[in-house]
Amino acid sequence: MEFVTLEELVPGDHLLRKVEKAIDFGFIRERVKGLYCPNNGRPAIDPVVLFKMLFIGYLFGIRSERQLVREIQVNMAYRWFLRLGLREVVPDASTISQNRRRRFTASTIYQEIFDEIVEQAIRRRLVDGRILYTDSTHLKASANKNRYEEKVAKQSTRKYLAALEEDVGAERALRGKKPLKRRGKDDDDDKTIKVSPVDPDSGYMVREGKPRGFFYLDHRTVDAKHALITDTHVTPANVHDSIPYLDRLDRQMERFKFKTEAVGLDAGYFTAGICKGIEERGLYGVMGYRRPNHLKGYFYKRDFHYNAKEDYYRCPGGQHLQYRTTTRQGYREYVSNPKKCRSCFHAQSCTRSANFTKVLTRHIWQDSKERIDAHRLTDCGKALYSKRKETVERSFADAKQLHGHRYARMRGIRKVSEQCLLAAACQNMKKIALLVAGAFLWLRYTLEPLKSPFYRAMCF
């Protein structure tokens, strides 16, 4: 007969030992205290144990909660992490699901847990928020892509439109144009979308180079210092990346008191509204380049040169395209003289218009786009953008490969948000634990020689 303790059965360098040492989980009890009845019913399972069970599942990529319970029953490291003895009964999987459905549904506990882990990283000076990288990845929804209903939905970006309408009104007034009729609450553009009958919160994704079907998007922001995640936000896959970006950026800067100086984004965020928003916040933005669509045999838009001082475009044939109007969408229209175009040598390479009128558009915030676009060509911009693949892209790669982030585990945007927040929190825990353990080892091996008599004798 041999007597052993649970402590002896867990390797000293196990990941869960490092996580337990680096992360303080005591805050969970305080955050959920108001969700438990203090004087009625039988004693509840410690909420720290419940959430630690979920953390184990995300840390080790165990997607099924029933499988998670079976793993905890036989894994000594998992039992040690949960403070469960060898003979203690592991909480049933239904305990997790019922607490989620009955107790945590209307709470913000998952967001609070994620925020607290970020704050613990800030206190350890592992996050500074000076440079932030943002991108999105798709999670496949539990829905058949071939079974859907077509519905008409409002395509609304009201915060963006409010600022745009104001600037368009000022632009038209300055140029002597009549003001446009103001849009009402019901004047958002209608769009026919595909809706899944089993998961209506998901969105049907149609993107170049991406699979088609029902997906969710996880919009994630990562700090440049140690690639720790500072924000995660879920939307249906048919929502453009640029729509939630500025609101989520503002939330981070306000919530964590970040003094952000620069942001790095891929080409999907390169819109006039995002560029203007970045400049208004005094940030240095760097974005990727996407080759524009082009009709073979015709001039590129770059072949038409814009004269900012006199406000016209000059075509390759030497004609000036003059300003005509500013549209509700914020585009200035510049048109050619059809009489000159009709006899122009370049007409067949310039326009397919039946009336020989070339029309070019330029957004009223185009100057912001051009200034932001110029950053990617500078040495500073190139160095900043090159870190994207080591930070946010690496973060998504780890999430998909190691933490079960390819698929939505549950249906509904609220539950998928829970998944993304807990997955991001666990990725942060893992990285904090490894960084803290690495720093401890470095100090140990650096300071250990200072204690030896030989070292002291050599120095003195």
Side-chain angles (χ1 to χ4, degrees):
M1 183 179 292
E2 184 177 0
F3 292 95
V4 294
T5 64
L6 195 58
E7 187 73 24
E8 295 173 323
L9 295 173
V10 182
D13 61 348
H14 196 281
L15 174 62
L16 291 179
R17 281 192 180 274
K18 297 175 182 178
V19 170
E20 183 69 21
K21 186 175 182 179
I23 305 297
D24 176 16
F25 294 105
F27 71 92
I28 294 176
R29 293 188 187 92
E30 186 63 30
R31 299 293 173 87
V32 302
K33 185 167 62 175
L35 303 176
Y36 287 81
C37 181
N39 54 13
N40 192 16
R42 63 182 179 179
I45 296 172
D46 186 353
V48 174
V49 173
L50 282 179
F51 280 102
K52 276 188 170 183
M53 289 176 67
L54 290 173
F55 297 156
I56 290 171
Y58 284 99
L59 282 169
F60 297 98
I62 305 171
R63 292 179 56 206
S64 166
E65 289 172 358
R66 290 185 177 87
Q67 180 63 29
L68 173 63
V69 171
R70 289 193 288 268
E71 293 288 338
I72 294 172
Q73 288 171 349
V74 299
N75 191 303
M76 297 302 103
Y78 296 172
R79 282 183 171 270
W80 175 89
F81 186 62
L82 299 172
R83 296 294 185 263
L84 293 176
L86 290 171
R87 295 179 179 274
E88 286 189 67
V89 177
V90 179
D92 192 78
S94 63
T95 304
I96 300 174
S97 60
Q98 291 301 322
N99 272 275
R100 176 189 294 115
R101 183 173 68 87
R102 299 178 181 181
R103 181 168 282 130
F104 303 135
T105 296
S107 73
T108 58
I109 183 59
Y110 304 109
Q111 183 70 59
E112 292 176 33
I113 288 174
F114 173 80
D115 289 349
E116 175 60 28
I117 299 302
V118 175
E119 289 185 332
Q120 290 190 27
I122 293 172
R123 290 196 288 271
R124 289 183 178 273
R125 298 185 180 180
L126 300 176
V127 171
D128 58 17
R130 195 171 62 86
I131 302 173
L132 299 175
Y133 295 95
T134 301
D135 204 353
S136 69
T137 192
H138 55 274
L139 288 79
K140 188 178 185 308
S142 179
N144 188 335
K145 67 179 180 181
N146 297 316
R147 295 186 61 188
Y148 58 83
E149 302 168 357
E150 290 191 348
K151 295 185 178 180
V152 176
K154 296 291 184 182
Q155 190 177 7
S156 176
T157 53
R158 298 211 60 83
K159 290 186 178 180
Y160 171 80
L161 287 177
L164 183 61
E165 280 187 2
E166 185 177 342
D167 285 1
V168 167
E171 164 91 4
R172 291 180 65 88
L174 184 66
R175 293 178 178 271
K177 299 290 182 180
K178 294 181 180 179
L180 295 169
K181 183 181 178 182
R182 292 192 64 85
R183 298 169 68 103
K185 292 183 178 180
D186 299 326
D187 289 339
D188 293 324
D189 296 332
D190 290 341
K191 181 181 180 181
T192 302
I193 61 172
K194 296 178 180 179
V195 179
S196 168
V198 296
D199 191 359
D201 288 348
S202 63
Y204 194 87
M205 184 170 71
V206 181
R207 292 191 177 192
E208 185 179 353
K210 303 291 184 182
R212 291 197 176 195
F214 291 101
F215 290 85
Y216 288 94
L217 289 181
D218 178 10
H219 305 267
R220 180 176 288 190
T221 300
V222 172
D223 180 66
K225 190 171 185 180
H226 290 294
L228 284 160
I229 304 161
T230 57
D231 187 63
T232 181
H233 178 68
V234 176
T235 65
N238 52 10
V239 173
H240 195 271
D241 290 346
S242 63
I243 290 177
Y245 175 68
L246 291 175
D247 285 342
R248 301 308 297 182
L249 177 62
D250 290 340
R251 183 193 182 275
Q252 294 170 77
M253 295 171 67
E254 181 181 350
R255 176 67 178 79
F256 303 119
K257 305 296 188 292
F258 284 159
K259 295 181 180 179
T260 306
E261 299 175 8
V263 295
L265 306 165
D266 74 0
Y269 294 84
F270 188 54
T271 66
I274 296 296
C275 293
K276 187 172 189 297
I278 289 173
E279 287 197 329
E280 287 177 343
R281 288 159 178 78
L283 305 178
Y284 185 89
V286 180
M287 299 189 193
Y289 174 76
R290 179 176 294 168
R291 185 174 297 172
N293 295 328
H294 175 249
L295 193 63
K296 188 176 180 180
Y298 286 81
F299 290 127
Y300 288 91
K301 189 174 181 179
R302 62 173 178 262
D303 296 324
F304 296 79
H305 300 284
Y306 179 66
N307 186 317
K309 185 176 181 181
E310 298 185 25
D311 192 30
Y312 65 80
Y313 276 95
R314 181 172 57 83
C315 74
Q319 184 187 167
H320 292 179
L321 279 69
Q322 302 294 341
Y323 171 83
R324 179 169 68 181
T325 188
T326 303
T327 67
R328 187 184 297 277
Q329 290 72 33
Y331 288 94
R332 300 171 185 151
E333 292 184 353
Y334 296 83
V335 297
S336 64
N337 185 334
K339 293 181 180 179
K340 294 182 179 179
C341 288
R342 196 179 299 273
S343 59
C344 179
F345 176 76
H346 299 291
Q348 298 303 317
S349 302
C350 183
T351 180
R352 293 186 295 176
S353 171
N355 59 4
F356 290 90
T357 302
K358 177 68 176 179
V359 180
L360 289 179
T361 59
R362 180 181 178 86
H363 202 277
I364 60 174
W365 296 337
Q366 183 66 26
D367 291 344
S368 295
K369 286 188 72 175
E370 292 176 354
R371 286 190 292 267
I372 293 292
D373 187 50
H375 293 165
R376 66 181 173 84
L377 302 177
T378 65
D379 291 340
C380 176
K382 290 176 182 178
L384 195 151
Y385 191 77
S386 67
K387 296 281 287 182
R388 280 188 71 256
K389 61 179 179 290
E390 304 168 18
T391 52
V392 67
E393 290 182 6
R394 177 64 181 272
S395 177
F396 281 137
D398 287 347
K400 289 178 180 291
Q401 189 70 18
L402 304 175
H403 304 286
H405 213 55
R406 297 183 188 277
Y407 302 93
R409 302 185 181 193
M410 297 167 280
R411 289 171 176 165
I413 196 165
R414 180 183 56 79
K415 292 181 179 179
V416 177
S417 295
E418 170 196 334
Q419 174 183 341
C420 292
L421 286 166
L422 289 180
C426 288
Q427 282 186 257
N428 281 350
M429 291 178 203
K430 180 179 177 180
K431 181 150 288 189
I432 292 169
L434 294 176
L435 288 169
V436 170
F440 176 77
L441 287 175
W442 181 84
L443 285 172
R444 178 181 175 184
Y445 290 117
T446 302
L447 300 178
E448 192 67 30
L450 302 179
K451 301 178 182 178
S452 68
F454 175 77
Y455 182 86
R456 289 198 294 268
M458 290 294 292
C459 291
F460 299 101

